Amino acid sequence: MADRSERSGVEILCVGTELLLGNILNGNARWLSEELATLGLPHFRQTVVGDNRDRLIALVQEIAQRSRVLIVTGGLGPTPDDLTTEAIAAAFSVPLEERVDVWSDIQEKARSRGRTPSPETRRQALLPVGAEVLWNPTGTAPGMIWTPVPGFSVLTFPGVPSEMKAMWKATAVPWFRSSGLSKGVFVSRLLHFWGIGESTLAEQVADLLEGVNPTVAPYAGRGEVKLRITACADVSSKAWVLVDQIEQELRQRTGNLCFGVDEDSLASVVLKRLGQTGQTLSVAESCTGGGLGAELTAVPGASSVMLGGVISYSNAVKRDLLSVPEDLLTQHGAVSAQVAEAMALGVRRLTGSDWALSITGIAGPDGGTPEKPVGLVFVGVAGPDGCSTEMLRLGPTRGREWIRIVSAGEVLNRLRLRLMVND
Amino acid sequence: MADRSERSGVEILCVGTELLLGNILNGNARWLSEELATLGLPHFRQTVVGDNRDRLIALVQEIAQRSRVLIVTGGLGPTPDDLTTEAIAAAFSVPLEERVDVWSDIQEKARSRGRTPSPETRRQALLPVGAEVLWNPTGTAPGMIWTPVPGFSVLTFPGVPSEMKAMWKATAVPWFRSSGLSKGVFVSRLLHFWGIGESTLAEQVADLLEGVNPTVAPYAGRGEVKLRITACADVSSKAWVLVDQIEQELRQRTGNLCFGVDEDSLASVVLKRLGQTGQTLSVAESCTGGGLGAELTAVPGASSVMLGGVISYSNAVKRDLLSVPEDLLTQHGAVSAQVAEAMALGVRRLTGSDWALSITGIAGPDGGTPEKPVGLVFVGVAGPDGCSTEMLRLGPTRGREWIRIVSAGEVLNRLRLRLMVND
């Protein structure tokens, strides 16, 4: 904990009862957090509080004791529950005064929309004595930059995301850059892994997770694990060198488990690789019911590689469309390596694609048996050099959606590995 | 501000450096806020803090002085930066002890996935002496319910949303209901609407949005709008009567725009209705690439209705698998009412289903032309009484994913309305 006699860091305070009621997602906090990280500003805490004057005053006083800068969003509008400016002034016992230029600006904006400003909007021209106006280029509610006590500054923004962002870029960023608070430039890169659990990966790179610059932090997704590398230097080129070095080290240790960086997905990586060699892809899906196709076609430009496929949810569709032999279905069951293979070969033949993927399994919650429990999935990858299948035991506990998503990831990853071998 | 000698209310604390870096949106805080509102629990503050032991300890001590209950999410995993349990124990100077039953559960879950639990996962079996285990039905990290000092309790949950939600429903809700913190019994019902915008719906029911008991609050989803009705009474039966009355009023005003309640989705509603009459369904998807099939098969038990379908992403697949005539494709283009109709009729014939849905459109970001801009989508519904198609203009601004999701919703809603007429 920061010594309260010595303020440090930037805090975010989002004001709005709608946040406490869960009516809206706090996208402002996320956006501001990313901006602070990019500016290299230390940021240790975020708070959400409702439109309540007393609680706001107490919270601002509390934050003023431990932080250097407070960024407040929300509560700057014209309605009676907009209390932010008034509460901040009261927290330091400073009176409000009307700013003539702000009131002119409000009237001007109303007029340009053919309206008369309502008397309520005039409240928005009130700022604490000594505060600087943080102009709002689009809306009527201005913000402020104010240093009510030495060593502590507060910046206010409306809760409307587009207004907040415009004001941030225009005024707050230059203010922070000149404030001397930013300790260099921060850059970061995300590495994506498939085929390893979060804890096992963390073990393999335990020493790197202890690093200070760059830092390496693990995140778990659905079947996927990510490592974020963040580095700081006086200029971005030097910071990227630090990131590159750690990335190289991480890739050396983890081999082909790392499948991409930043915005990459298994689908985008596989599509890109196929596209480079002019090859095409199709899918045959049973338990995923279209989810694999949806993931592939979520990637813009997928149509140059992805031809389509068959959702063979029923046995009749497996048989009639994909030509899966009836005796395979009766002898081994729809959830079997044999049927996965026949599905992949069938859709490849049908579409004429170079590669084909298949998935058949028991996603649950019902339909499991002792021999074929929920979470049992077979995937197939058919290509110019033949078809391989694999059995996955994903277990019943994480539910239907998880089984479907991980199945799709598993078969995409197998294709990715096959394509690497073919290189 | 609450008097510090008298604790009141519930606070949420989300732990994770990824939140402070803006890597992820704080969806957990929003979800928990909604739940607290539904339970009628007073909730005044939310905080986000990083994976930092000292700051966590100080914050927990601070909250223990002002609040009755603290809900913590995140930092329960097996990696070294997962510090939540340890820090909370340290905040009250209570030692950790290994829970034999938790360690057994972790080993059991690993075994069911064919893995050996890594030594790091054993850390997750450590809980403060005196804490109760809050079991995790899906993942390995358990939470806890602990009253370290009289009048203050802390509940911990993993940051993984699906795990947190399952644990919340199974254990936390009953605990809160029996805690006496809730002022009366709150019950709530969510109504789902399709085919109307949030602001238009809000206008139509403006007087009801002003109500105090029940309250009615609008939420916008992707293409969907929801109204949550929440009522309070001394017993739940009385509260439900209040909810029922408002629901009736809302349905009267909005006609067939309301498609379901609570966990219903367009897909589940359509599948249920078809299932009741023993009818079957198939799909032919171009721009959604499997997303419609995935939505339908996300519903457990879909297999009794949904036979499957064809992902006809390329024109060749439209022609060869769905028998869309070549001259339709050349004359009208793949994105046309004619091709949507031929796709729906083709997949219905192919699978022998009673009903068939088709989608063909331009999801962007590329591929738009002045005549056929991004966001232009045609959908088809083929059934025993013929095929109807419709043109949607979804616009380019909200992006590829939004266009795909709304297209799937639109065609499902059209089938829903057709089935209502047939009743």
Side-chain angles (χ1 to χ4, degrees):
Chain A
M1 172 108 200
D3 180 351
R4 291 198 172 208
S5 65
E6 207 183 283
R7 302 185 185 97
S8 78
V10 180
E11 279 198 50
I12 297 174
L13 171 59
C14 299
V15 182
T17 300
E18 69 276 21
L19 288 164
L20 289 185
L21 290 174
N23 297 352
I24 56 167
L25 258 169
N26 198 346
N28 285 350
R30 184 204 181 164
W31 190 86
L32 287 169
S33 299
E34 266 194 284
E35 288 287 309
L36 292 176
T38 309
L39 287 167
L41 293 164
H43 167 42
F44 305 124
R45 208 196 265 212
Q46 295 169 3
T47 309
V48 173
V49 75
D51 303 301
N52 177 298
R53 193 172 179 274
D54 291 344
R55 266 191 283 272
L56 253 169
I57 292 173
L59 194 50
V60 169
Q61 288 171 340
E62 174 192 322
I63 293 170
Q65 291 188 333
R66 65 174 177 247
S67 291
R68 284 276 289 118
V69 179
L70 170 62
I71 298 166
V72 186
T73 67
L76 301 187
T79 63
D81 66 347
D82 290 308
L83 303 157
T84 297
T85 308
E86 190 199 330
I88 294 172
F92 302 99
S93 308
V94 171
L96 295 170
E97 62 177 3
E98 186 175 288
R99 301 301 166 92
V100 177
D101 45 357
V102 174
W103 177 227
S104 305
D105 180 64
I106 292 170
Q107 290 174 296
E108 184 49 46
K109 279 177 179 149
R111 246 180 256 122
S112 77
R113 286 173 203 139
R115 293 187 193 169
T116 318
S118 70
E120 285 71 29
T121 55
R122 190 157 183 168
R123 280 186 61 218
Q124 298 177 314
L126 295 171
L127 291 184
V129 173
E132 238 181 280
V133 179
L134 206 159
W135 291 100
N136 185 335
T138 54
T140 55
M144 64 174 169
I145 298 183
W146 187 31
T147 302
V149 290
F152 173 75
S153 301
V154 55
L155 284 74
T156 64
F157 300 85
V160 180
S162 58
E163 297 182 13
M164 179 203 67
K165 291 176 187 175
M167 288 161 73
W168 176 267
K169 298 263 180 199
T171 322
V173 171
W175 185 86
F176 274 110
R177 288 209 193 276
S178 67
S179 71
L181 283 170
S182 172
K183 294 171 183 160
V185 182
F186 281 68
V187 302
S188 93
R189 184 175 295 148
L190 203 58
L191 299 190
H192 299 264
F193 298 81
W194 191 275
I196 186 168
E198 186 188 8
S199 53
T200 315
L201 180 60
E203 254 173 78
Q204 285 187 15
V205 300
D207 54 321
L208 302 177
L209 298 184
E210 311 265 295
V212 175
N213 188 28
T215 58
V216 179
Y219 303 90
R222 286 189 283 201
E224 182 182 328
V225 182
K226 291 171 263 193
L227 292 178
R228 181 176 287 279
I229 312 169
T230 308
C232 173
D234 53 350
V235 293
S236 66
S237 58
K238 285 192 199 162
W240 282 121
V241 169
L242 295 173
V243 169
D244 288 342
Q245 284 168 348
I246 291 283
E247 178 180 352
Q248 212 178 344
E249 174 67 29
L250 284 167
R251 283 181 181 269
Q252 243 160 24
R253 292 201 201 176
T254 55
N256 58 17
L257 293 170
C258 176
F259 69 81
V261 299
D262 295 334
E263 301 300 310
D264 287 344
S265 65
L266 278 168
S268 74
V269 165
V270 161
L271 288 170
K272 189 174 169 193
R273 193 168 274 262
L274 290 172
Q276 283 163 348
T277 50
Q279 297 186 87
T280 55
L281 179 64
S282 63
V283 297
E285 303 188 51
S286 185
C287 65
T288 46
L292 173 59
E295 263 184 55
L296 284 161
T297 58
V299 181
S303 58
S304 62
V305 170
M306 170 69 173
L307 303 182
V310 172
I311 302 171
S312 54
Y313 211 55
S314 73
N315 279 356
V317 172
K318 290 185 185 74
R319 192 186 56 215
D320 300 341
L321 266 76
L322 293 174
S323 310
V324 175
E326 179 73 48
D327 63 329
L328 281 189
L329 287 165
T330 48
Q331 205 179 321
H332 304 285
V335 179
S336 62
Q338 291 83 354
V339 169
E341 181 178 71
M343 285 170 62
L345 293 173
V347 80
R348 182 167 183 263
R349 202 166 42 233
L350 206 55
T351 62
S353 63
D354 297 297
W355 293 88
L357 305 178
S358 68
I359 303 177
T360 179
I362 298 160
D366 304 319
T369 64
E371 303 86 59
K372 296 194 174 178
V374 170
L376 180 72
V377 177
F378 291 87
V379 297
V381 177
D385 53 353
C387 182
S388 61
T389 63
E390 206 133 356
M391 182 176 75
L392 312 172
R393 289 189 175 277
L394 303 176
T397 48
R398 294 201 238 192
R400 182 178 177 87
E401 198 195 348
W402 190 85
I403 291 169
R404 285 156 44 99
I405 288 171
V406 172
S407 300
E410 287 286 346
V411 74
L412 285 169
N413 192 49
R414 278 167 173 76
L415 173 56
R416 178 180 74 91
L417 297 174
R418 277 275 287 275
L419 295 172
M420 288 176 74
V421 171
N422 286 8
D423 275 358
Chain B
M1 173 103 198
D3 179 350
R4 292 201 170 205
S5 65
E6 206 183 286
R7 301 184 184 97
S8 79
V10 180
E11 278 198 50
I12 297 174
L13 170 59
C14 300
V15 182
T17 301
E18 68 275 23
L19 287 163
L20 289 184
L21 289 173
N23 297 351
I24 57 168
L25 258 169
N26 198 348
N28 286 350
R30 184 206 179 164
W31 191 87
L32 287 169
S33 300
E34 261 194 284
E35 289 287 310
L36 292 176
T38 307
L39 288 168
L41 293 163
H43 166 45
F44 305 126
R45 209 195 262 212
Q46 295 169 2
T47 310
V48 173
V49 73
D51 303 300
N52 177 296
R53 193 171 179 275
D54 291 345
R55 265 190 283 272
L56 253 169
I57 292 173
L59 194 48
V60 169
Q61 287 170 340
E62 174 191 323
I63 293 170
Q65 291 187 334
R66 67 174 175 246
S67 291
R68 285 274 289 118
V69 180
L70 171 62
I71 298 165
V72 186
T73 68
L76 301 187
T79 63
D81 65 348
D82 290 308
L83 302 159
T84 296
T85 308
E86 189 199 330
I88 293 172
F92 302 98
S93 307
V94 171
L96 296 170
E97 62 178 3
E98 186 176 288
R99 301 300 165 93
V100 178
D101 46 355
V102 173
W103 176 227
S104 304
D105 180 64
I106 292 170
Q107 289 172 298
E108 185 47 47
K109 279 177 178 148
R111 246 180 257 121
S112 79
R113 283 171 207 142
R115 293 191 189 167
T116 318
S118 72
E120 282 68 27
T121 55
R122 190 157 185 167
R123 280 186 61 219
Q124 297 177 315
L126 296 171
L127 290 185
V129 173
E132 238 182 279
V133 179
L134 207 160
W135 291 100
N136 185 335
T138 55
T140 55
M144 65 173 168
I145 297 184
W146 187 32
T147 303
V149 290
F152 174 74
S153 302
V154 56
L155 284 73
T156 63
F157 299 85
V160 181
S162 58
E163 298 183 10
M164 179 203 67
K165 290 176 188 176
M167 289 162 70
W168 176 267
K169 298 262 181 199
T171 322
V173 171
W175 184 86
F176 273 112
R177 287 207 194 278
S178 66
S179 71
L181 284 169
S182 174
K183 297 173 183 155
V185 182
F186 281 70
V187 302
S188 94
R189 185 175 294 146
L190 204 58
L191 299 189
H192 299 263
F193 297 81
W194 191 275
I196 186 167
E198 186 187 10
S199 54
T200 315
L201 180 59
E203 254 172 77
Q204 284 187 16
V205 301
D207 53 324
L208 302 178
L209 299 183
E210 310 265 295
V212 174
N213 188 29
T215 57
V216 179
Y219 301 88
R222 285 189 283 200
E224 182 183 328
V225 182
K226 291 172 266 191
L227 291 178
R228 181 178 287 282
I229 312 169
T230 307
C232 175
D234 51 353
V235 293
S236 67
S237 57
K238 285 191 201 163
W240 282 121
V241 170
L242 296 174
V243 169
D244 288 341
Q245 285 169 347
I246 292 284
E247 178 180 352
Q248 211 177 347
E249 174 67 29
L250 285 166
R251 283 182 182 268
Q252 242 160 27
R253 292 199 201 178
T254 55
N256 59 16
L257 293 169
C258 176
F259 68 81
V261 300
D262 296 335
E263 301 301 311
D264 287 344
S265 65
L266 279 168
S268 74
V269 165
V270 161
L271 288 171
K272 190 176 168 193
R273 195 167 272 264
L274 290 172
Q276 282 162 349
T277 50
Q279 297 187 91
T280 56
L281 179 64
S282 64
V283 298
E285 304 187 52
S286 186
C287 64
T288 46
L292 174 59
E295 263 183 56
L296 284 161
T297 57
V299 181
S303 58
S304 62
V305 170
M306 171 71 173
L307 302 181
V310 172
I311 303 171
S312 54
Y313 212 56
S314 73
N315 279 355
V317 171
K318 290 184 185 75
R319 192 185 56 215
D320 300 342
L321 265 76
L322 293 175
S323 311
V324 175
E326 179 74 48
D327 63 329
L328 280 190
L329 288 164
T330 48
Q331 205 178 323
H332 304 286
V335 179
S336 62
Q338 291 83 354
V339 168
E341 182 178 70
M343 284 169 63
L345 293 172
V347 81
R348 182 168 182 263
R349 201 166 43 234
L350 206 55
T351 62
S353 62
D354 298 297
W355 294 88
L357 305 177
S358 67
I359 303 176
T360 179
I362 299 159
D366 303 319
T369 64
E371 304 86 59
K372 297 195 176 180
V374 170
L376 180 71
V377 177
F378 291 87
V379 297
V381 177
D385 54 351
C387 182
S388 62
T389 63
E390 207 133 356
M391 181 175 75
L392 313 172
R393 290 190 175 278
L394 304 176
T397 48
R398 294 200 241 190
R400 182 177 178 89
E401 199 194 348
W402 190 86
I403 291 169
R404 284 157 44 101
I405 287 171
V406 172
S407 299
E410 288 286 346
V411 75
L412 285 169
N413 191 50
R414 276 167 174 76
L415 172 56
R416 178 180 74 91
L417 296 174
R418 277 274 288 274
L419 294 172
M420 288 176 74
V421 172
N422 285 8
D423 276 355

